[in-house]
Amino acid sequence: MATYAIGDLQGCFTEFQRLIDLIRFDPMQDRLWLVGDIVNRGPDSLSLLRYIKQAGDAILMVLGNHDLHLLTVAAREAKNLSNDTIQPILDAPDREELLHWLRHQKLFHSEGQYAMVHAGLLPSWSISQAEQLAREVECALQQDNAQELLSRMYGDEPNYWQDEWADYLRLRVIVNAMTRMRVCTSEGKMNFTYKGNLQSVPSGYFPWFNVPNRVSQNTTIICGHWSALGLHITDNIIALDTGCVWGGQLTAIRLEDRRVFQLSCVQ
């Protein structure tokens, strides 16, 4: 039995099939962890979403910003963007079944020495606090009135955390940190516009995982979202977004021995 983590898929179903063949994934014995952004921008989000749903407990995923965008468009709280490729899901006969399943996926997962989140954790959050905060969002998404959350989720403010935040402002900060953040200040103020590499991080900001004295630093966090960062592996960070949808690579890592598997993608 092995556990593999795979970077952002974004509708690249063909490359996903090639990668699971490469690692010889056996759903009867192995597990896949997916860092989110399952859908959008790539050519076949519908097939990918169906495959992951049908895999049951063999695949565990966390939600990314593109997955939440799909839910928001489906709830008519946002419009399709010009480069979205989610319309086949919205037109599918099993649309409601797929969207219901997606709404019931995790925002954050912790297991043993590892945790997984799409984008990152604010420096003041412990792993146990992150689990509790993610659960608040997950519960809101799973309610019959989830449209209320989806209608209030978008926005860059507040861009920092306070324990006193309440209601939808609180949930927005949690979502933004876990699905959109790349860099923040040492105090945890987030910058959502920066998408560049490590060498060009704006003055006063850090990659979220390099903030001094980050509370969660004793757990190895698996993440994606930051394609300009590329494959980035340290003792306590495994960043796996290698830009498959942009013609980069699709990356998997076997957690038991940290062996990396990659294949080239067609843009």
Side-chain angles (χ1 to χ4, degrees), residues 9-255:
L9 291 167
Q10 294 198 243
C12 297
F13 184 52
T14 298
E15 288 81 359
F16 172 70
Q17 290 179 304
R18 288 170 53 209
L19 185 59
I20 61 175
D21 285 344
L22 176 65
I23 64 177
R24 299 181 180 179
F25 171 65
D26 180 354
M28 299 302 295
Q29 300 185 58
D30 303 329
R31 298 178 71 203
L32 289 184
W33 288 16
L34 305 179
V35 300
D37 275 4
I38 303 305
V39 303
N40 209 10
R41 304 289 172 85
D44 200 354
S45 295
L46 178 58
S47 294
L48 188 53
L49 195 57
R50 284 171 172 164
Y51 181 96
I52 297 167
K53 176 181 177 294
Q54 292 167 1
D57 293 340
I59 299 182
L60 185 150
M61 66 167 283
V62 291
L63 294 165
N65 52 301
H66 282 284
D67 308 314
L68 292 173
H69 177 64
L70 166 62
L71 293 174
T72 307
V73 172
R76 298 183 180 179
E77 295 299 339
K79 294 182 179 180
N80 260 318
L81 303 177
S82 60
N83 53 0
D84 283 349
T85 60
I86 55 176
Q87 194 60 45
I89 299 174
L90 301 175
D91 295 337
D94 53 347
R95 158 197 166 123
E96 293 307 319
E97 182 181 346
L98 292 169
L99 294 175
H100 180 269
W101 175 84
L102 192 62
R103 284 199 295 114
H104 285 74
Q105 300 312 298
K106 289 187 170 186
L107 192 65
F108 177 80
H109 178 71
S110 175
E111 185 176 322
Q113 63 182 314
Y114 291 104
M116 182 170 63
V117 68
H118 178 62
L121 298 183
L122 286 170
S124 65
W125 290 351
S126 67
I127 296 298
S128 59
Q129 183 180 9
E131 286 183 305
Q132 294 169 0
L133 297 177
R135 187 61 186 151
E136 293 181 31
V137 176
E138 292 160 8
C139 287
L141 274 177
Q142 292 165 19
Q143 300 302 312
D144 291 339
N145 64 344
Q147 188 165 348
E148 186 72 12
L149 167 62
L150 296 171
S151 69
R152 298 171 182 243
M153 189 174 62
Y154 284 115
D156 293 345
E157 299 291 338
N159 62 357
Y160 60 96
W161 176 252
Q162 287 188 350
D163 289 337
E164 295 76 19
W165 291 132
D167 300 326
Y168 291 101
L169 283 182
R170 178 182 181 86
L171 299 182
R172 181 188 297 163
V173 177
I174 299 168
V175 168
N176 280 344
M178 293 192 181
T179 70
R180 296 181 60 204
M181 176 176 63
R182 296 179 181 91
V183 299
C184 63
T185 66
S186 57
E187 294 79 23
K189 182 178 180 181
M190 295 176 280
N191 177 335
F192 299 116
T193 62
Y194 184 71
K195 299 181 180 181
N197 58 31
L198 282 181
Q199 291 70 40
S200 304
V201 172
S203 177
Y205 289 88
F206 299 88
W208 68 268
F209 47 80
N210 282 345
V211 172
N213 302 313
R214 175 171 56 87
V215 175
S216 60
Q217 63 186 341
N218 291 328
T219 298
T220 299
I221 298 177
I222 303 165
C223 60
H225 184 60
W226 194 348
S227 60
L229 175 65
L231 180 63
H232 185 81
I233 300 175
T234 67
D235 287 344
N236 60 8
I237 291 294
I238 300 176
L240 295 172
D241 184 2
T242 45
C244 180
V245 75
W246 310 117
Q249 294 178 306
L250 187 60
T251 301
I253 185 169
R254 188 165 57 205
L255 298 186

